[in-house]
Amino acid sequence: MALAQRRKGSGTDVTASKNDKQHLPLCEQEWDSERLLDAIHWLRHALSLVCGLIWGIFPFTGLPFLFGYVALNCIAVLLFYRGYLDLDPDEYGGHAILQGEGFMASIALFVLIW
């Protein structure tokens, strides 16, 4: 949508094709609810994998490091949809839906790898 508006403003009235939309940066693409929830789910899993390996390689043990991971997980997702994508969470069901997507599965993956 933003690409079509930019092209309109430059004097040519050309709408962006589907192929052009795929090459836009993530923050400029339009997000439907299902696609956003999938992206959040896989972001959490990637973060779980990386943090689980780091926590496991270094001698990070105990409840404070588990709570630290949970806080990092929630903050990363919040920064993704509010900071990077600049989306209104109410359009996608609210913060509870977005923060809950894939949360328990990512905790299980983190503990398994840790």
Side-chain angles (χ1 to χ4, degrees), residues 3 13 23 26 41-42 46 59 69 81-82 90 92 101 111:
L3 182 62
D13 192 14
H23 297 295
L26 289 176
H41 178 84
W42 289 109
Y69 166 73
Y81 70 81
R82 287 291 291 177
D90 293 332
Y92 299 94
E101 179 63 28
V111 170

Side-chain angles (χ1 to χ4, degrees), residues 13-92:
D13 192 14
V14 178
T15 59
S17 68
K18 185 175 183 177
N19 193 22
D20 289 341
K21 289 181 181 180
Q22 292 175 349
H23 297 295
L24 288 174
L26 289 176
C27 58
E28 292 182 9
Q29 293 179 9
E30 292 187 28
W31 289 84
D32 64 341
S33 181
E34 189 65 31
R35 186 169 169 229
L36 178 64
L37 292 176
D38 285 345
I40 289 172
H41 178 84
W42 289 109
L43 171 71
R44 284 187 190 272
H45 277 61
L47 185 65
S48 297
L49 180 66
V50 171
C51 289
L53 288 173
I54 291 172
W55 267 241
I57 290 171
F58 296 106
F60 297 152
T61 59
L63 209 51
F65 288 103
L66 180 63
F67 288 148
Y69 166 73
V70 170
L72 179 68
N73 193 340
C74 292
I75 290 169
V77 169
L78 182 69
L79 289 176
F80 176 68
Y81 70 81
R82 287 291 291 177
Y84 181 66
L85 296 179
D86 196 30
L87 298 176
D88 182 21
D90 293 332
E91 294 178 10
Y92 299 94

